[in-house]
Amino acid sequence: MGLEIKDVATTPFTDQKPGTSGLRRSVKQFSQPGYLENFIQSIFNTLPMERRNMLVVGGDGRYFNRQAAATTIAMAVANGFSRIIVGCGALLSTPAVSSLIRSRRADGGIVLSASHNPGGINGDFGIKFNTANGGPAPDTVSEEIFRNSRQLTRYFIAPQVQVNINLPGEFSFADSVVEVVDPVADYRQTLEHVFDFDRLREGFAKGRLSVRFDAMHAITGPYARELLEDCLGACSGSVVNAEPREDFGGQHPDPNLGNAKTLVGFMAAKTAPLLGAASDGDGDRNLILGRQFFVTPSDSLAVIAEHANAIPQFRAGLAGVARSMPTSRAVDRVAAAKGIDCFETPTGWKFFSNLFDAGKISLCGEESFGTGGDHLREKDGLWTVLVWLSILAETGESVSALVQRLWHHHGRFVYSRHDFDHLDTDQAAAMMMYLSGFAANAKRTHIKDRQIVAADVFRYIDPVDHGESHNQGIRLFLDDDVRLVYRLSGTGTAGATLRIYIENYLRDNVNVDARQFNRGNGQLAADIARIEHFTGVCAPSLVT
Ligand code: G16
């Protein structure tokens, strides 16, 4: 008897438009009958049969992960994939999916994760689709998935496909094989190729390196334990909150100063390790701390670019660098000093892939706690930790000294982000519309005692495929080296979140407290956008 393939009649959902990175909804929304299945089928429909050879599937361990993985595998078999690679326990970090796609030459991968969004039964779930280069689906593919989802009338599933995903092994079903793999092994190999592990081991063995890594009960626990403790010899207990939990232990695995308070407290001690770090739900973000010192993601990117020769992967030199538009311009200064290109892209890792594939960049990063290199097509939390450890090993300097030196050489972009969460969607859209109109006529306008010297709505023309992306945030440049950027988040699941990015360039006297220093400009930015008038909200919910 052949394998039963069920052809299930379904009704399309109208709201399956992917955001900045995949489709994110509450677990409740994802649990509606057919919601998950429809979206997975819509992804598969974008792949012609000849591109259904190999698929990678795994997630960050949050609530609904296992169930969604089982459904995805049964649907992948029914849709004709010949090999489906899944991480044991349905676990795979986002960078590990990217790594497996590339090393196994798969046609794509499905990441079951809402990334840094909260987990648990009352939290969020999400699905990201990565294409054959290992990177997040570009906008053209996401639009095709969305178009498919609005017309979908049937999906296919093979109900007999049930696999024990708790241990590595292979399971055959008619013409398909489901291969359950160790979630860490392939990723570890990728990192072994791009770092000097012996050097790092020596650093830990001789006490020149020390680290505290908070996995926030999300996916990176098993990866960090194996890499940092078992392989590189960081002392036992260096990795904390290492067991992935469905609700992330009640924490919010978005590694910023607000959510990683315990780590920040730990790193405040004079005896703290040299490096403190944390990652997010699916392991692609990073938080970098020194003893009593926070490194903004923008400064982290600039320091890495500055010390590229300390990282074996970049020893031949950086081809170029890139940052998302709202990320501070610190790395631009480093690139200019090195004489290499610096690209400014819209927010979203997908915009970096073409630049990597065309060999135009080797390193990139975003203010949203993401950094990555040309070894993968995803941002990579643990890679960034090893990058910093490599720089510490090479220079023998502290984290704070490295950042201070960056500021001394290039000046400091004092950077803050003000988030206004849970805004009414229509009100937020009206405010952005007003602001676009304002920006169109803002040049040489005086606001209080300041002048706006330039303003625009950011648009991007991809230098490789010439694709255009419009409406990617509003920028105002003031006459005193201040830049204000406004954009709406594309990763939330309820209402709208407005982000204001405030950047103030100082050439001298750089040792200021960023929050205090940017407070006045934050208020100015809120006044310009008339946030209270449009939304009734008068203060940000989070300042980072
Ligand atoms: C995702 C993307 C990032 C992007 C971030 C922005 O991060 O992968 O490239 O910078 O969203 O988020 P927002 O639109 O909320 O500002 P992640 O880690 O959530 O996948």
Side-chain angles (χ1 to χ4, degrees):
M1 207 176 76
L3 187 70
E4 185 201 357
I5 308 286
K6 262 182 139 177
D7 178 345
V8 184
T10 190
T11 313
F13 294 88
T14 54
D15 68 341
Q16 296 196 321
K17 187 175 171 53
T20 310
S21 184
L23 180 70
R24 295 192 191 167
R25 295 286 178 262
S26 64
V27 166
K28 207 167 147 205
Q29 282 169 292
F30 254 109
S31 312
Q32 299 170 76
Y35 197 87
L36 168 76
E37 291 83 349
N38 276 21
F39 191 66
I40 296 286
Q41 187 65 52
S42 304
I43 295 173
F44 291 163
N45 285 354
T46 65
L47 289 168
M49 278 319 276
E50 67 272 16
R51 280 174 40 217
R52 293 191 192 172
N53 295 316
M54 210 189 285
L55 182 76
V56 178
V57 179
D60 63 12
R62 69 177 60 221
Y63 185 84
F64 203 58
N65 185 71
R66 272 183 172 257
Q67 191 180 328
T71 302
T72 305
I73 295 166
M75 288 185 66
V77 170
N79 278 275
F81 283 91
S82 27
R83 183 167 285 267
I84 298 127
I85 302 171
V86 55
C88 265
L91 297 177
L92 280 175
S93 73
T94 290
V97 169
S98 186
S99 177
L100 270 166
I101 294 173
R102 291 170 71 77
S103 64
R104 300 290 300 269
R105 298 182 193 282
D107 298 289
I110 299 226
V111 188
L112 304 164
S113 170
S115 191
H116 62 287
N117 293 25
I121 191 165
N122 297 316
D124 291 338
F125 190 73
I127 296 180
K128 307 197 254 190
F129 175 56
N130 284 30
T131 53
N133 69 354
D139 279 346
T140 44
V141 174
S142 295
E143 277 154 24
E144 208 185 324
I145 294 171
F146 182 45
R147 215 175 12 255
N148 256 290
S149 75
R150 281 177 301 172
Q151 296 160 357
L152 201 77
T153 54
R154 58 218 286 235
Y155 67 81
F156 301 96
I157 189 159
Q160 289 155 350
V161 173
Q162 284 168 20
V163 181
N164 175 2
I165 50 169
N166 294 325
L167 287 173
E170 288 204 352
F171 305 83
S172 295
F173 300 94
D175 295 331
S176 307
V177 173
V178 179
E179 180 185 344
V180 183
V181 299
D182 172 346
V184 183
D186 170 83
Y187 175 74
R188 171 179 162 166
Q189 262 182 20
T190 297
L191 293 200
E192 272 169 348
H193 278 131
V194 295
F195 288 103
D196 185 344
F197 273 29
D198 288 338
R199 183 97 202 267
L200 294 174
R201 265 186 213 114
E202 191 190 310
F204 279 110
K206 297 206 165 144
R208 289 201 300 265
L209 290 176
S210 52
V211 66
R212 173 84 162 190
F213 182 85
D214 190 340
M216 303 185 98
H217 287 304
I219 189 68
T220 43
Y223 292 83
R225 277 247 162 94
E226 182 166 331
L227 280 158
L228 296 173
E229 294 186 10
D230 302 348
C231 184
L232 297 179
C235 62
S236 161
S238 297
V239 179
V240 295
N241 297 321
E243 300 74 31
R245 295 206 185 137
E246 288 196 332
D247 66 347
F248 302 128
Q251 297 182 44
H252 185 173
D254 182 1
N256 60 36
L257 291 179
N259 296 322
K261 276 207 174 73
T262 323
L263 177 70
V264 174
F266 188 84
M267 291 302 295
K270 284 204 175 91
T271 52
L274 275 179
L275 183 70
S279 192
D280 67 331
D282 61 330
D284 54 5
R285 295 186 175 208
N286 70 84
L287 166 70
I288 297 294
L289 301 166
R291 280 185 194 136
Q292 306 177 319
F293 197 86
F294 163 60
V295 187
T296 67
S298 301
D299 282 341
S300 172
L301 175 63
V303 169
I304 296 169
E306 180 94 326
H307 293 276
N309 59 357
I311 304 143
Q313 184 175 351
F314 300 140
R315 284 243 162 92
L318 295 170
V321 294
R323 63 166 171 82
S324 65
M325 180 273 280
T327 304
S328 101
R329 291 163 291 172
V331 74
D332 303 33
R333 300 265 163 158
V334 177
K338 284 183 181 281
I340 56 172
D341 284 337
C342 178
F343 296 86
E344 183 177 42
T345 66
T347 294
W349 207 260
K350 57 197 169 199
F351 292 102
F352 296 132
S353 286
N354 274 354
L355 300 172
F356 276 126
D357 288 347
K360 288 183 179 295
I361 59 168
S362 321
L363 167 74
C364 60
E366 294 186 278
E367 56 68 38
S368 55
F369 295 83
T371 338
D374 49 8
H375 63 301
L376 295 181
R377 295 293 177 272
E378 277 285 0
K379 54 188 188 276
D380 191 344
L382 268 164
W383 174 86
T384 310
V385 175
L386 297 201
V387 161
W388 269 90
L389 287 170
S390 303
I391 296 173
L392 296 174
E394 179 83 14
T395 60
E397 291 194 50
S398 69
V399 170
S400 61
L402 286 162
V403 178
Q404 292 281 351
R405 200 133 63 76
L406 175 87
W407 294 344
H408 179 73
H409 282 159
H410 301 285
R412 177 181 177 191
F413 289 87
V414 185
Y415 193 83
S416 307
R417 189 174 97 181
H418 291 194
D419 290 343
F420 294 74
D421 292 317
H422 306 300
L423 302 180
D424 175 88
T425 309
D426 293 339
Q427 291 176 352
M431 190 214 70
M432 289 301 279
M433 182 91 90
Y434 161 77
L435 208 47
S436 306
F438 174 86
N441 302 303
K443 201 166 168 194
R444 287 194 210 99
T445 306
H446 284 269
I447 304 277
K448 299 185 182 157
D449 55 342
R450 323 274 288 281
Q451 198 191 20
I452 297 175
V453 290
D456 66 3
V457 179
F458 183 62
R459 72 189 258 271
Y460 178 67
I461 300 178
D462 187 297
V464 180
D465 65 17
H466 309 294
E468 293 192 21
S469 307
H470 296 268
N471 213 7
Q472 297 293 328
I474 295 163
R475 307 188 285 189
L476 304 181
F477 299 88
L478 307 189
D479 56 357
D480 49 357
D481 277 335
V482 169
R483 183 185 72 156
L484 305 175
V485 173
Y486 305 80
R487 65 175 278 279
L488 295 180
S489 157
T491 58
T493 56
T497 293
L498 168 70
R499 304 203 194 287
I500 303 183
Y501 311 82
I502 301 144
E503 180 184 53
N504 201 336
Y505 181 67
L506 293 182
R507 187 65 199 88
D508 304 300
N509 302 321
V510 293
N511 283 310
V512 296
D513 177 84
R515 267 172 187 250
Q516 295 285 348
F517 193 73
N518 283 333
R519 186 169 288 166
N521 283 319
Q523 190 55 53
L524 179 74
D527 291 346
I528 292 174
R530 303 182 68 204
I531 294 174
E532 191 170 358
H533 165 82
F534 280 102
T535 68
V537 175
C538 54
S541 19
L542 182 68
V543 174
T544 49

